[in-house]
Amino acid sequence: YVHASGAQEEGSAILEKVRSGAVSYGDITLEIDEVRVVDHTAVVLGRFRATLTTVQGSRAIGSQFADVWVESAAAWRLVTYHAAPLPD
């Protein structure tokens, strides 16, 4: 996972932070702008906005994103997520 800040983090580490309560997301808005499917691969383009709460406090966050999904066996799996900050 590549955060809008450019920092990289394993998905399992992000899930553990949420499970432990170290990080929480609220007021989530997800806007899908486009989905492109070729064979067993899909690219999803969109925007994400939320309130992020950590021990440092809460703040509004927002990003443009591109997801790549691959269909395997009986399910679609997210193979990469890349985000960039929304323009001001």
Side-chain angles (χ1 to χ4, degrees):
Y1 178 93
V2 180
H3 293 274
S5 66
Q8 295 183 25
E9 190 170 21
E10 292 293 323
S12 58
I14 296 167
L15 292 174
E16 181 54 35
K17 288 179 184 178
V18 172
R19 283 187 194 113
S20 72
V23 170
S24 67
Y25 296 88
D27 301 321
I28 297 171
T29 302
L30 184 66
E31 300 172 33
I32 304 298
D33 296 323
E34 186 173 352
V35 178
R36 299 177 189 169
V37 179
V38 177
D39 297 325
H40 298 281
T41 303
V43 177
V44 180
L45 306 173
R47 287 164 290 183
F48 168 84
R49 290 179 179 84
T51 301
L52 173 67
T53 302
T54 67
V55 294
Q56 289 86 21
S58 296
R59 64 186 173 98
I61 59 172
S63 61
Q64 302 173 104
F65 67 86
D67 292 349
V68 177
W69 294 79
V70 174
E71 185 180 29
S72 61
W76 284 89
R77 299 185 61 104
L78 179 65
V79 294
T80 191
Y81 176 92
H82 179 78
L86 285 170
D88 292 334

